[in-house]
């Protein structure tokens, strides 16, 4: 029997961000492999027109949970949704809910975040820094808490090239940033954002770095671990190959390539595309939760969930694989035949944008107008080009992440866990397999 799975049996687990991409896969794996766990509390923010229960049922009705429901038909009884908005003081939670959480929680997985690169600094600080701080305060009042697992990103220090499993200080203390958000108005914040974030490319990566500092400074005696995944993609194996339900990171770009919208992207072909399948990130997370609770390491440990260090995959390889995959199984109703190239300098990128993106969009929109339909291609292209420009920072650089803690974790696992739990370092050996899986879900679950 897996020691890790057995460890989570009988536990009360709190997950923030359980309605998100990673949170859902984490919840699924916990329910599937540790069916005897006591309860999973999930903090869910209310959404217009949907009750909490409806949100949960919608998630459980998705294909992701099919396997769990086969083995555990009463799965919904294990999930206890709690209304909470992490942007609000005390998460706007009811008193009774708060009491129950404080009294019962054994393990916290903190996934909730804003992952938008263009988030206003105030919003990003609120969710990625202040909410983390508030959750730490709650955690410090939980007598049964055994481990607090925080999700950061491998790019929280993307202003460096070589990144170790340590917390690097930010130039301005998080406390000062939090204080300034209280009295500065939105316009001033927007004006000073570039000066504050300095060599970070966006507010997301910057506030994730601040969030790590808050964990280090205010974690007190809690048993904490930080997971730093790189670019999280569709599942490799679990619960089935190729599950994804969003267009973040490369997924949207791959669809745009398959549909024939995206023909050129500014990327360095030899730069490393550090993609990690979501199930491997979840495996590492659960193993880290087990290790943190059982072995109680003296200091906070950071685990890189990356693939490039062992067997790097380059953007050029990824591009070839994507195109080969769409050649084999093309999208229906594509705009053009999929064909894309990488350019390295901004002048040629501008040329290709004009020739292969904007010009065909204008021609197509004219055709739509002439045939009495609403033009839409230019709008779509403008959005696509905006997204590309935000991703360019990541497609033109390579980073080296060390992974000593992830390797140590693997060596501490039982032989059975080593057999069933594929962690990050092994992922790299299966990279081509992973990349081809990347295209699979985009056809299956998103292509419509
Ligand atoms: C040979 C070529 C091969 C291809 C290679 C590809 C290479 C790509 C490289 C990617 C590198 C990625 C690096 C990421 C590294 C950081 C990882 C993390 O830690 S962080 C974790 C990762 N975090 C991230 O990745 C976040 C990055 N993304 C963002 O921050 C924002 O999306 C944005 C600012 C870029 C655009 O904002 P905005 O313009 O406001 O647009 P919204 O987003 O609000 O979407 C509006 C609507 O459009 C819809 N739609 C979108 N895309 C597509 C599509 N392709 N199609 C169709 N539809 C699409 C969307 O569903 C929505 O619909 P609805 O709901 O309205 O109906
Ligand atoms: N995906 C990736 O490539 C990577 C992700 N990460 C990290 O992993 C974690 C999870 O990311 P991912 O699953 O992709 O992100 P998603 O955007 O898919 O999920 C974010 C989650 O946070 C919740 N959330 C956002 N705002 C609030 C709020 N005010 N109150 C309550 N809940 C809120 C969302 O709820 P709702 O459903 O209501 O919107 C959702 O459940 C993040 O910490 C991210 O930084 C790190 C590296 C890469």
């Amino acid at each position: 029997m897996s020691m890790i799975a057995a460890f989570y049996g009988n536990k009360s687990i709190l997950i923030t961000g359980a309605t998100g991409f990673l949170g859902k896969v984490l919840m699924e794996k916990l329910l599937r492999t540790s069916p005897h766990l006591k309860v999973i509390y999930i903090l869910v923010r209310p959404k217009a027109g949907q009750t909490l229960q409806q949100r949960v049922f919608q998630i459980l009705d998705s294909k992701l949970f099919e396997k769990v429901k086969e083995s555990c038909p009463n799965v919904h009884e294990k999930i206890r949704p709690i209304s909470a908005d992490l942007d609000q003081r005390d998460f706007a939670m009811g008193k009774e809910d708060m009491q129950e959480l404080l009294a019962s929680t054994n393990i916290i997985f903190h996934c909730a975040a804003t992952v938008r690169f263009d988030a206003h600094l105030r919003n990003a600080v609120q969710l990625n820094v202040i909410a983390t701080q508030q959750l730490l305060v709650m955690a410090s009042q939980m007598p049964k808490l055994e481990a607090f697992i925080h999700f950061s990103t491998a790019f929280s220090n993307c202003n460096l090239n070589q990144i170790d499993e340590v917390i690097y200080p930010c130039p301005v203390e998080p406390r000062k940033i939090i204080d300034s958000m209280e009295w500065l108005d939105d316009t001033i914040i927007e004006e000073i954002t570039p000066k504050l974030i300095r060599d970070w490319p966006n507010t997301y990566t910057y506030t994730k770095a601040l969030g790590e500092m808050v964990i280090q400074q205010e974690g007190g005696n809690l048993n904490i671990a930080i997971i730093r995944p790189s670019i999280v993609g569709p599942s490799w194996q679990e619960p089935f190959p190729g599950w994804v339900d969003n267009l973040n990171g490369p997924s949207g770009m791959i669809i745009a390539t398959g549909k024939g919208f995206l023909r050129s992207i500014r990327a360095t072909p030899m730069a490393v595309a550090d993609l990690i399948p979501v199930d491997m990130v979840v495996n590492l997370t659960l193993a880290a939760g087990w290790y943190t609770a059982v072995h109680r390491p003296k200091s906070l440990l950071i685990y890189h969930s990356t693939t490039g260090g062992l067997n790097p995959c380059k953007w050029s390889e990824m591009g070839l694989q994507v195109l080969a995959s769409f050649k084999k199984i093309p999208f229906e109703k594509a705009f053009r035949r999929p064909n894309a190239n990488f350019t390295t300098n901004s002048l040629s990128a501008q040329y290709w944008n004009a020739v292969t993106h904007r010009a065909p969009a204008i021609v197509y929109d004219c055709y739509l107008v002439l045939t009495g339909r609403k033009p839409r291609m230019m709008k779509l292209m403008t959005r696509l080009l905006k997204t590309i420009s935000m991703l360019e920072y990541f497609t033109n650089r390579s980073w080296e992440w060390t992974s000593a803690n992830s390797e140590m974790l693997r060596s501490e696992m039982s032989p059975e866990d080593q057999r069933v739990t594929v962690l990050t370092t092994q992922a790299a050996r299966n990279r081509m397999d992973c990349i081809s899986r990347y295209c699979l879900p985009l056809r299956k679950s998103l292509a419509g």
Side-chain angles (χ1 to χ4, degrees):
M1 161 96 182
S2 153
M3 271 165 65
I4 297 175
F7 165 76
Y8 288 101
N10 221 21
K11 299 276 187 245
S12 299
I13 297 159
L14 167 61
I15 305 181
T16 70
T19 52
F21 174 46
L22 259 152
K24 276 185 265 197
V25 181
L26 177 64
M27 191 160 63
E28 191 278 338
K29 172 109 190 196
L30 274 166
L31 291 164
R32 181 162 45 83
T33 55
S34 306
H36 300 301
L37 59 79
K38 228 183 244 164
V39 60
I40 301 183
Y41 296 109
I42 60 172
L43 301 192
V44 185
R45 59 176 160 176
K47 248 192 183 173
Q50 259 190 327
T51 64
L52 288 198
Q53 287 300 344
Q54 280 169 334
R55 282 200 81 183
V56 173
F57 275 108
Q58 195 177 31
I59 291 171
L60 293 180
D61 272 346
S62 69
K63 189 170 165 52
L64 179 68
F65 283 83
E66 272 176 10
K67 263 194 186 162
V68 180
K69 285 200 288 189
E70 274 168 25
S71 57
C72 179
N74 62 341
V75 60
H76 56 279
E77 289 169 13
K78 295 275 179 184
I79 299 173
R80 166 110 153 71
I82 291 179
S83 172
D85 184 345
L86 272 67
D87 282 334
Q88 306 295 321
R89 186 178 286 272
D90 290 333
F91 300 158
M93 253 161 60
K95 261 200 181 132
E96 280 177 14
D97 287 336
M98 179 67 95
Q99 290 309 331
E100 185 177 341
L101 280 184
L102 295 185
S104 317
T105 306
N106 301 119
I107 314 282
I108 296 178
F109 293 106
H110 180 33
C111 301
T114 173
V115 301
R116 289 188 70 93
F117 294 162
D118 63 345
H120 191 280
L121 185 62
R122 183 193 297 290
N123 299 337
V125 167
Q126 178 58 50
L127 197 55
N128 297 349
V129 189
I130 301 176
T132 302
Q133 198 180 34
Q134 279 203 60
L135 195 62
L136 286 172
V137 173
M138 269 176 70
S140 67
Q141 299 164 41
M142 294 176 172
K144 294 186 184 164
L145 191 71
E146 297 170 46
F148 182 116
I149 310 300
H150 172 76
F151 275 93
S152 186
T153 159
F155 297 100
S156 55
N157 301 290
C158 57
N159 50 335
L160 307 173
N161 297 115
Q162 160 82 36
I163 302 168
D164 292 327
E165 289 166 309
V166 298
I167 293 177
Y168 295 92
C170 297
V172 183
E173 282 287 311
R175 177 107 302 284
K176 287 191 180 155
I177 301 285
I178 293 169
D179 288 346
S180 63
M181 293 298 128
E182 275 169 22
W183 58 272
L184 290 175
D185 71 29
D186 281 357
T187 326
I188 299 180
I189 293 177
E190 269 161 42
E191 271 169 29
I192 62 169
T193 295
K195 291 204 171 70
L196 282 176
I197 70 174
R198 298 183 193 206
D199 48 357
W200 274 268
N202 51 48
T203 53
Y204 167 67
T205 48
Y206 174 67
T207 52
K208 290 303 267 188
L210 288 177
E212 289 186 4
M213 275 190 82
V214 161
I215 294 266
Q216 188 184 46
Q217 294 174 348
E218 304 182 27
N221 294 327
L222 294 170
N223 252 335
I224 306 182
I226 295 180
I227 313 294
R228 283 190 188 149
S230 49
I231 304 170
V232 185
S235 55
W236 174 56
Q237 274 182 328
E238 292 183 75
F240 55 85
W243 185 83
V244 70
D245 70 348
N246 67 30
L247 296 169
N248 278 347
S251 301
M253 295 300 106
I254 293 174
I255 290 201
T257 307
K259 285 269 186 188
F261 298 130
L262 181 68
R263 281 290 176 98
S264 170
I265 185 164
R266 200 169 79 79
T268 305
M270 298 315 275
V272 175
D274 206 298
L275 308 168
I276 178 87
V278 63
D279 44 343
M280 290 179 191
V281 179
V282 164
N283 285 347
L284 179 84
T285 305
L286 293 177
W290 157 78
Y291 184 81
T292 310
V294 172
H295 293 270
R296 307 178 83 77
K298 283 195 193 78
S299 57
L300 177 167
L301 292 185
I302 294 164
Y303 300 92
H304 284 159
S305 187
T306 54
T307 52
L310 198 68
N311 193 0
C313 165
K314 313 230 162 45
W315 285 110
S316 55
E317 292 175 75
M318 160 116 183
L320 287 176
Q321 191 74 18
V322 167
L323 291 176
S325 179
F326 283 123
K327 203 169 175 190
K328 233 194 275 168
I329 318 173
F331 272 135
E332 281 170 24
K333 295 187 197 154
F335 176 58
R336 286 178 288 189
R337 190 172 54 82
N339 184 18
N341 67 26
F342 291 118
T343 56
T344 44
N345 81 55
S346 53
L347 261 183
S348 62
Q350 279 175 29
Y351 168 80
W352 285 113
N353 277 344
V355 172
T356 66
H357 295 140
R358 288 206 173 88
I362 292 170
V363 172
Y364 189 69
D365 274 352
C366 288
Y367 162 74
L368 287 178
V369 172
L370 290 173
T371 51
R373 284 172 287 173
K374 213 175 145 204
R376 58 188 167 85
M377 195 52 69
M378 200 52 205
K379 198 173 158 205
L380 196 147
M381 277 302 177
T382 307
R383 175 170 283 164
L384 187 65
L385 296 183
K386 176 185 164 192
T387 304
I388 292 174
S389 73
M390 292 206 173
L391 299 180
E392 273 176 0
Y393 178 92
F394 301 94
T395 50
N396 287 286
R397 288 171 177 74
S398 290
W399 290 267
E400 277 176 37
W401 290 278
T402 53
S403 55
N405 288 342
S406 309
E407 279 153 28
M408 175 281 293
L409 186 59
R410 183 169 161 70
S411 69
E412 290 288 326
M413 282 160 39
S414 68
E416 171 64 1
D417 275 320
Q418 291 193 1
R419 197 180 61 79
V420 297
T421 313
V422 181
L423 295 185
T424 48
T425 45
Q426 290 156 302
R429 292 191 193 109
N430 307 313
R431 69 194 159 91
M432 290 323 282
D433 194 12
C434 293
I435 294 171
S436 51
R437 297 264 156 98
Y438 228 98
C439 298
L440 185 76
L442 303 171
R443 277 189 296 272
K444 282 196 174 157
S445 40
L446 295 168

